[in-house]
Amino acid sequence: MDINLSQCFIAVDDHDKALAFYRDVLGLEVRNDVGFEGMRWVTVGSPSQPDVEIVLEPPLADPNATEADRRAVAELLAKGMLRGVIFRTGDVDATFERIRAAGAEVLQEPLDQPYGVRDCAFRDPAGNMLRFNQPRDA
């Protein structure tokens, strides 16, 4: 059996601000930008991983969600309580400096972790926590 990650989802409240971060700061390529019934999904990905995509979606895009559920998720997003994704990089210190220089909110400067990586963390414009790590033996 062969199973690979294809897509993961990050809730964003403003796709244009999210694009300025994911495309212009992180260097991800935009693969799709779709509107449907008043909502918008933008798919981005690393040029080095053409088969893995991050879907930037509205908070709780599930059509079966109640309005109360949508408000609750939007409130959690605004508080920075939703997690994003973890990126791997070959040089976490250089990645940190590039993202910090672009003005992203720093959550953690580069740090050697006991679980074998050196990592740092930022918030994206919607408040999601994004981590960037590098294996310590790399």
Side-chain angles (χ1 to χ4, degrees):
M1 182 166 64
D2 186 23
I3 298 175
N4 296 300
L5 177 65
S6 173
Q7 293 180 319
C8 62
F9 296 81
I10 296 178
V12 299
D13 55 355
D14 184 320
H15 283 88
D16 293 323
K17 286 182 181 176
L19 269 175
F21 180 77
Y22 286 93
R23 179 192 57 213
D24 303 338
V25 176
L26 300 187
L28 301 180
E29 61 187 18
V30 176
R31 298 191 180 149
N32 215 342
D33 191 337
V34 177
F36 181 72
E37 294 187 2
M39 290 194 276
R40 182 179 178 194
W41 288 263
V42 178
T43 306
V44 296
S46 169
S48 65
Q49 288 184 299
D51 57 343
V52 179
E53 298 177 326
I54 299 170
V55 182
L56 305 173
E57 66 173 357
L60 198 55
D62 184 335
N64 298 315
T66 66
E67 192 52 40
D69 290 339
R70 290 183 206 285
R71 275 195 310 276
V73 171
E75 289 172 8
L76 290 173
L77 178 64
K79 291 179 181 178
M81 301 295 288
L82 300 182
R83 293 188 175 266
V85 297
I86 299 175
F87 294 93
R88 176 147 302 166
T89 178
D91 186 338
V92 75
D93 293 283
T95 299
F96 174 80
E97 291 303 330
R98 185 170 47 88
I99 297 170
R100 179 169 65 178
E105 180 185 352
V106 176
L107 294 177
Q108 177 204 300
E109 294 195 10
L111 180 67
D112 289 335
Q113 299 290 357
Y115 41 88
V117 300
R118 181 168 178 77
D119 71 353
C120 63
F122 291 90
R123 287 212 189 280
D124 75 2
N128 297 295
M129 180 177 67
L130 305 177
R131 300 193 73 82
F132 300 83
N133 75 33
Q134 172 186 2
R136 279 194 291 190
D137 58 357

